[in-house]
Amino acid sequence: MMVEKVYKMTLGDTKTMERVIADENIHYMHMIFNKDEGAPEHFSNAIVYMTVVRGTLSIALDEQEIHRYEKGTILNIPFNTKMNIKNLDDEVLEIFVVKAPAPKA
């Protein structure tokens, strides 16, 4: 019997939006976007921690202009913030999104 739980995520450069972990404690998402791809505009349903691990994130929050964040950056986005996540660059964008505590709904 194993003590640990093991999760797998997609590797590569193809557009990916996957929930790797979703339990009562945390939601852990992994996303990969090529140029001009992104997530549909939506409002955060929890406190969000977004880590850029590859490429450059272009994100508009609420009514702000687009801000750009390079790999190695971690963003803390408040609950109920309008988010527009895009990759506007040639390099593949890869991010991890952590919602903690996990959303109630």
Side-chain angles (χ1 to χ4, degrees), residues 22-83:
D23 63 23
E24 67 279 1
N25 301 308
I26 192 171
H27 284 188
Y28 189 96
M29 277 82 61
H30 173 236
M31 301 178 191
I32 299 171
F33 299 117
N34 289 287
K35 185 173 184 173
D36 298 325
E37 295 177 337
E41 184 176 271
H42 63 285
F43 285 84
S44 57
N45 60 351
I47 297 169
V48 173
Y49 299 89
M50 189 174 296
T51 305
V52 182
V53 295
R54 185 165 47 138
T56 301
L57 168 67
S58 294
I59 186 168
L61 300 172
D62 285 336
E63 302 309 314
Q64 288 182 166
E65 296 291 321
I66 292 173
H67 291 176
R68 296 168 51 83
Y69 298 99
E70 295 179 346
K71 65 182 175 182
T73 304
I74 302 170
L75 304 178
N76 178 328
I77 300 168
F79 171 75
N80 204 34
T81 299
K82 183 169 67 172
M83 300 190 298

Side-chain angles (χ1 to χ4, degrees), residues 11-30:
L11 301 176
D13 295 337
T14 305
K15 181 178 180 180
T16 303
M17 294 177 62
E18 61 187 345
R19 186 174 288 150
V20 180
I21 304 170
D23 63 23
E24 67 279 1
N25 301 308
I26 192 171
H27 284 188
Y28 189 96
M29 277 82 61
H30 173 236

